[in-house]
Every structure is written in C-alpha cells, then in structure tokens.
Amino acid sequence: MDPISRLIRELARLPGIGQKTATRLAFHVLRAPAPQVRDLAQALHEVKEKIRLCSHCMNLTEHDPCALCADASRDGRVICVVAHPPDLLAIERTSSFRGRYHVLHGVLSPLDGVGPDDLKLRELLLRVQGKPQHISDEEDEAALSSQPANQPAITEIIVATSPNVEGEATAMYIARMLKPLGLRVTRIASGLPIGGELEYADGITIARALEVRREI
Amino acid sequence: MRVHALTAEGFRNLQPLAVSPHPRFNVLSGDNGQGKTNLLEVIYVLATLRSFRTTRLDELVSFGGEAAALRARVEHRQSERVFGVDIGLRPSRKQALCDGKSARTGEYFGGFNLILFAPEDLRLPKGPPSGRRRFLDRAIWNTCPSYLDEVRVYERILRSRNILLRGGPGTSSPTEESEHAPSRSRGSAPLPDSAALLDIYDQRLASAGAVLFVRRRRYVEALAPRVAEVFGRISGGDHEVQVQYQPALKPSKATEKSSTHLDSGRTDPEIIAPVIDEQRVLSERLHAQLQRDRRRDQQRGFTHSGPHADDLVFFLDGRPADLHASQGQTRALVLSLKIAEIQHLHALLGDPPVLLLDDVSSELDRDKNAALFAFLRESVSQVFITTTDPNYIRIGPSPEDRQDFAVRAGRIVPVESATSGE
C-alpha cells in the first residue's frame, strides 16, 4: 500500500473522521513543512509512549505517581471518584476539593457493553483496602514497586459521576462495593442548577431537589 | 392558542407556503396525496419538534432537497412568539428556534400546544396496548413537557436491565468466574457479583417507573370523569363508559381481585401524601415486584412489570369495551376520549389548544360527526381540518368563522368565499 493510502486509512480509523476528511487531512500533511509533520509524528508517538496511568488514582500521567497523588498537601483520606479525566479537571478548576481522586475511565453501561471489569473498579477496591494495585492492561513493574507516600487510611469516598442513568448506576455499584468495608460513601448533590429556573426544570430534577432539600 | 401566520419551505411535497390561518376553522380540501396532511404535519412538528408519521428527518425534507424551514407565529395569552424548526440533512439535524434564536427544548415547549385527532385514533380501544400508551404519553406530555425526559430515562434503564437479564456485561464476564474462584485476582476481595448489578437496575427502574406511574394515574383520574360525561352526551345517556388506568404492577397481596384494574388511592395516606411519597410507595412496590419476578424475567429475557406494560382500559356498561362495544360505540368512545383530552388541556392551560383533525369526519357516521362539530363550535379552539369532501365539514351557519383552502400538488390556496358552509 502506498504511503498516502496508508495515511488516509489510519486517519479514517479515528473517531469522527470519515474517508473524505481523512483524505483532506492526509493531503494537508503532505503539503505541510517537514518540521511540522515531524512534530506531529513525535507528539503522537510520545503520547503513547510517555502517558500512562497513575498507579494510585488511574489518572493519565507522565510521571507515576501523578502530580496530584504526589502532592503531600492533599488530603489522602478523602477520595473523589470520577468517570473520566476531564471530570477530574473540571473539579480541579474549582479549587474547592483538596482530597485525592480515582478515575474509573468510564461508567457502567449495559447498553454500551461496559461492565464492572471494564472500569478501574477493582483498582479502587484494592486501593481502599490498602493493597497494591495491579495495572490491568499491562504488567508495569515500576508502577507496582512505587510505594504510596505514607498513604493515610481512606475514610470517605465521594462519587462524582454524572447524574444520568449510567452515572447513577455506577455510583450505586460503588456504594455497594465499598460500604461493607465500613467506609463513608457519599454522592455529589444534584438538583436545580445555580442560576437556573425552577419552572423549566424537569420533574425528576425537581423531585430529587425536594428529596434532598436542606434546612436553611 | 392561535396560529396567526405559518410558513414552510422545503417540507415534503409542499410548495413554499405562507398562509394566515383563520382564528377558528381552517378547512383543507383536496384529493389524496396532494399535501393536506403535510400541512398538519408542519404545524405538528412546530409544536412538538417531532412528526406524528415518522421519526426520520429525511422523510420530512422535500425529495432531492437538503433542508426545510418551518415557522409559526403563535398567540398565547395575549403574547406572541415565533416558533421555528430548521431541519437539515447534511449533517442530519433539527434546530428549534424561538423568536429567531436557537432554543433548547426546555425553553421551547410551553406556549404552543396542540392535539391531533387522526383516523388511527379510532382503533385505540381495540388496538394493541402500545397505541393506548402512546396516547397517554402524548396527552401527558402536552400537560407537562418534562414528562418526555422522564419517559426517556425510564426507557434507558429498562433497556439496560433487559440486557443484563440476558447476560450482558458484568454478568458473564470474569467477575462471575471469580465468584467461583475467588482466589483469582491476587487474593483480593472480588467485585460485587452479577446479581448486585441487576439489583441496582431494579432499584433504578423502580424509582424511574414510579414517576411515570404517578403521572399516568393522575392524568387518567383527571380525564375519566370528563370521558364519561361526554360519552353520556353523545350516546344520549343510554350507555355508561369508564376509563381506567391499569398499571403493570400487581396489586399488593391483600388487594381484592376486583381492583386489579386500578388500585389507585387504595389507602388514604397515599391520597393525602404529596407526590414524592406516592412515588416512594409505588417505587417500593415495583421494586418488590421486580425482585419477585427476577427468575421469570431472566428466563424470558425481558422485564414483565413496569410502566412499559401499562394499559388504559375502557368499560362499556361495566364490561370490557374491546370485547363488547360495537363499531359505533367504539368510535363514540374515542370521540369522547379526544374531546375530554381537549377539554382537560384547555382547563389546565387556561387557553384552548390548537386542534388538528386529519380526515376524521369521513370515518364517523352522521350523528357522531354532528356531535363532533357541535363540540368544536362550542369550543373556542383554532381548528385545522383536512378532508377529501368539504361537505363532511358541518361547521354551521356562520361562514365568517371559516376559511377554506384548496390543496393541490403541494400548493395551498385560500378559497375566496365559503361556498360549502352547509
């Protein structure tokens, strides 16, 4: 196969890119200055070579443990469980959480064929139990040998998955998994959005907001 | 509610159109296949963001075209809004617009309600339960736009549970093997087993299902007396009709068989308690039912109990109408149901909804047609009627209440004076 066809074929395998776009991108690459193309190739290569999962929190990182897990000023007793790395970033941007994280890399979704073994749930369980976690995809000796820096016992798990069908099911699953260990498992609140209007809220949201109402 | 101006471009076979509908009766006549129903569909899509004939966007766009644009200027309680829907095929998209600005569905709905009465409705009592659930869902959605999201959430949980029943992810994966071989994963405690996942979906299905149970129960409770009253009037008081909501939830053990059809409000606290408590009670009952049914559900691979299996049942003089009502009685029943739906929505909104009648008159006999038009004259709704024969349309002696349109090959042309009023 000639290099152009090969490039088109590879690009077309990316999500959201069809044959037409792949062809356009391939010819763009072909016309681009050589250093730019080399940078792109290197970036693609490095992201695969250098980025891996933090052996503690399963977040994407270049160094293991990741910066968040290595940060001694964070409270290791509280762990916030999120579905995806961008969710972690969204919480970090608020600077309102100073505990640590655990990234599941997905949510339970029977419709999409995602079960408990497809997520970093076992890793969460092991972490909570204070046992070394294994990286499920590859055996990474370095990750296994790097010891957590004086991890205190975990006391609370905050489940911060989205309040949709899959996020709720995942949260309930985690509660079921961890409650028997005597941990406090909490769920981020859901209800009316700040700045939103009650009139336009759906019945489920209003019902939930009423259910978890607070005294003022 | 009144549609004061209506435009459409690129929609099915319709030529670009701009009409100013009459505030009362708009009669669209023409032969079959000329585009009468397409015009009703334009209005329907504008009010509901969906079609009553198809779920495929490409069918709505003119053959060979790539986009359609619909607009309606609608008056609701002395204020006017312009509702718009843009449909594109490449890429496939549907954009709702409110006063020219793109609107999310939460902002769009409210202010343009309509009720469609089509020949298919006449088969409701004797047809499959799915048709009656669709009727209920559309009618409830009209009274409460967020109901749609509630149904969607429920359906998503239901489909997920059904997959798990048939052994989806987490039920036949290594998790299950590790149940039998707990030492597999380096001496660690295994993840919760597959039954745990199903437990979670039982719980979620029960709480989402309870939301629908309560909505449907309340709606039918409000509708039933109206249906009985209208039917009494149409049938000259010779027969009695009852409408009952039949949730797919077995009554609690102590309940008598006779109240299987509806054990709504059986215990007084349920009536008095706010919706949240009612939901909780029903949720607990559905949850218990799901747990009891689990083995059977797993064997058959689907969920037996829940709102997706609800029904609406009609009784004529105390006997099931699907078995005992004549053709004429069935039609009178449907007519009463639709009229009750209109009255109820009108009372709730404080403004009459727009009515679309798709060639219904040809399906009704002389007496029922007379009853229908007597009601329509009494109501103050704006009405759009399609017919192949304007003689069916007996609006009455005042031609100033009526505008006729001739529909031919996708063109909609106002007819100068009402020539066929009576």
Side-chain angles (χ1 to χ4, degrees):
Chain A
M1 187 179 272
D2 71 284
I4 293 180
S5 307
R6 184 174 162 210
L7 179 58
I8 292 172
R9 196 189 58 186
E10 291 303 320
L11 288 169
R13 285 164 65 167
L14 297 172
I17 294 186
Q19 201 63 32
K20 221 167 147 183
T21 311
T23 308
R24 206 172 67 226
L25 289 174
F27 280 96
H28 176 85
V29 167
L30 196 60
R31 279 193 300 268
Q36 198 185 323
V37 176
R38 209 172 304 125
D39 281 352
L40 175 65
Q42 203 180 347
L44 286 172
H45 189 66
E46 276 189 7
V47 79
K48 197 60 194 170
E49 286 295 299
K50 294 194 174 166
I51 299 295
R52 51 182 165 169
L53 300 185
C54 169
S55 59
H56 304 309
C57 70
M58 301 292 139
N59 193 20
L60 301 172
T61 182
E62 193 178 347
H63 306 288
D64 186 21
C66 72
L68 290 167
C69 288
D71 184 348
S73 73
R74 299 190 78 106
D75 186 351
R77 290 170 302 176
V78 183
I79 291 186
C80 178
V81 180
V82 296
H84 302 285
D87 300 334
L88 184 156
L89 295 179
I91 297 175
E92 271 304 288
R93 271 198 299 274
T94 68
S95 309
S96 51
F97 179 67
R98 294 296 297 165
R100 296 196 201 276
Y101 293 94
H102 190 89
V103 184
L104 296 173
H105 292 278
V107 283
L108 295 174
S109 176
L111 289 172
D112 302 308
V114 181
D117 284 303
D118 302 312
L119 306 177
K120 302 296 178 192
L121 282 165
R122 200 180 297 278
E123 288 78 358
L124 176 63
L125 184 60
L126 290 166
R127 183 178 177 190
V128 164
Q129 291 170 327
K131 294 177 187 167
Q133 303 144 51
H134 70 277
I135 307 286
S136 44
D137 1 2
E138 276 166 48
E139 295 307 316
D140 194 326
E141 288 306 320
L144 276 174
S145 61
S146 77
Q147 283 304 309
N150 283 333
Q151 295 294 338
I154 293 161
T155 56
E156 181 177 353
I157 301 289
I158 304 171
V159 186
T161 51
S162 301
N164 52 26
V165 170
E166 286 74 23
E168 291 290 347
T170 307
M172 287 167 79
Y173 188 88
I174 291 171
R176 223 178 150 113
M177 178 174 89
L178 299 181
K179 277 256 170 92
L181 303 178
L183 273 138
R184 183 164 182 239
V185 182
T186 56
R187 178 93 177 94
I188 50 164
S190 59
L192 301 173
I194 305 292
E197 291 188 39
L198 184 71
E199 186 190 347
Y200 292 117
D202 65 283
I204 297 171
T205 303
I206 293 178
R208 170 68 73 87
L210 281 170
E211 211 177 313
V212 299
R213 67 192 180 275
R214 271 198 324 215
E215 195 155 328
I216 46 171
Chain B
M1 263 154 246
R2 306 249 179 270
V3 180
H4 287 307
L6 191 66
T7 63
E9 261 177 64
F11 192 86
R12 290 202 190 251
N13 82 332
L14 295 179
Q15 298 293 316
L17 76 91
V19 292
S20 306
H22 193 281
R24 288 291 278 131
F25 290 96
N26 297 274
V27 180
L28 304 148
S29 30
D31 292 335
N32 288 323
Q34 302 301 307
K36 302 184 300 288
T37 306
N38 293 350
L39 186 78
L40 296 191
E41 196 179 19
V42 166
I43 303 170
Y44 194 94
V45 170
L46 278 162
T48 66
L49 299 181
R50 59 184 48 75
S51 164
F52 55 89
R53 298 151 104 191
T54 179
T55 54
R56 296 184 48 172
L57 285 181
D58 58 341
E59 288 182 22
L60 299 181
V61 174
S62 305
F63 187 72
E66 292 205 353
L70 319 177
R71 298 289 181 272
R73 184 156 51 83
V74 179
E75 179 200 324
H76 173 46
R77 292 192 195 152
Q78 283 92 47
S79 83
E80 282 194 351
R81 282 164 87 190
V82 176
F83 292 90
V85 177
D86 285 345
I87 299 166
L89 292 187
R90 278 174 223 170
S92 178
R93 63 181 196 96
K94 184 171 63 180
Q95 175 67 55
L97 302 144
C98 218
D99 293 323
K101 284 176 289 193
S102 59
R104 286 178 298 132
T105 49
E107 304 157 339
Y108 188 85
F109 294 128
F112 189 8
N113 297 77
L114 59 74
I115 290 176
L116 169 76
F117 190 6
E120 296 85 76
D121 292 323
L122 295 166
R123 288 192 288 274
L124 270 183
K126 298 197 180 202
S130 58
R132 293 185 286 276
R133 285 193 294 273
R134 198 176 316 122
F135 162 79
L136 261 186
D137 284 348
R138 280 182 183 171
I140 297 171
W141 176 78
N142 238 333
T143 69
C144 170
S146 64
Y147 179 69
L148 185 67
D149 290 327
E150 296 165 8
V151 172
R152 283 188 181 149
V153 165
Y154 176 78
E155 284 173 349
R156 198 168 170 86
I157 299 171
L158 178 66
R159 279 186 290 140
S160 301
R161 183 180 191 266
N162 286 345
I163 287 175
L164 292 175
L165 288 172
R166 295 172 205 142
T171 53
S172 57
S173 60
T175 317
E176 191 155 278
E177 288 157 29
S178 70
E179 267 182 302
H180 309 296
S183 57
R184 191 193 71 105
S185 57
R186 302 177 192 192
S188 71
L191 295 177
D193 62 18
S194 59
L197 201 53
L198 210 42
D199 281 346
I200 287 166
Y201 275 89
D202 283 0
Q203 234 169 311
R204 300 280 305 135
L205 192 76
S207 60
V211 174
L212 305 193
F213 278 148
V214 171
R215 291 250 192 244
R216 289 175 177 178
R217 175 197 273 186
R218 303 218 155 190
Y219 183 79
V220 178
E221 276 171 3
L223 200 67
R226 288 184 191 273
V227 180
E229 192 265 326
V230 176
F231 187 85
R233 225 167 352 123
I234 292 177
S235 65
D238 294 341
H239 298 283
E240 243 183 34
V241 77
Q242 267 182 298
V243 190
Q244 283 172 340
Y245 171 48
Q246 193 170 69
L249 181 62
K250 280 188 198 137
S252 25
K253 286 225 168 78
T255 316
E256 299 282 12
K257 193 175 180 291
S258 66
S259 62
T260 309
H261 51 260
L262 182 89
D263 55 347
S264 73
R266 272 202 49 80
T267 49
D268 289 350
E270 271 193 58
I271 297 175
I272 305 159
V275 174
I276 298 295
D277 288 340
E278 191 178 351
Q279 273 179 15
R280 207 196 51 238
V281 169
L282 287 167
S283 169
E284 282 165 7
R285 278 183 49 201
L286 179 54
H287 186 244
Q289 182 74 42
L290 290 169
Q291 302 248 296
R292 271 199 299 278
D293 286 350
R294 175 163 313 170
R295 188 169 293 273
R296 184 172 62 134
D297 283 358
Q298 275 175 324
Q299 276 162 3
R300 305 267 178 88
F302 69 91
T303 302
H304 287 77
S305 295
H308 61 284
D310 279 356
D311 204 350
L312 188 67
V313 285
F314 303 94
F315 293 91
L316 185 70
D317 298 326
R319 300 194 299 173
D322 56 339
L323 302 175
H324 295 283
S326 70
Q327 169 107 328
Q329 285 167 330
T330 303
R331 294 186 170 207
L333 182 56
V334 173
L335 192 56
S336 315
L337 187 71
K338 293 306 284 190
I339 289 175
E341 182 194 357
I342 295 163
Q343 287 178 337
H344 177 63
L345 187 61
H346 184 169
L348 211 68
L349 299 172
D351 197 13
V354 172
L355 308 181
L356 307 180
L357 274 67
D358 190 15
D359 201 19
V360 175
S361 293
S362 58
E363 303 275 340
L364 297 175
D365 65 24
R366 201 187 155 79
D367 287 351
K368 282 171 205 80
N369 245 327
L372 172 62
F373 281 99
F375 165 75
L376 292 175
R377 271 197 307 275
E378 246 175 68
S379 88
V380 284
S381 276
Q382 184 180 34
V383 189
F384 293 83
I385 307 170
T386 66
T387 182
T388 45
D389 181 357
N391 288 323
Y392 281 124
I393 311 304
R394 299 168 174 278
I395 289 160
S398 42
E400 65 272 18
D401 270 355
R402 163 179 186 158
Q403 173 65 57
D404 276 76
F405 295 89
V407 184
R408 193 168 302 129
R411 299 183 74 86
I412 292 164
V413 183
V415 176
E416 275 318 309
S417 66
T419 49
S420 49
E422 191 57 292

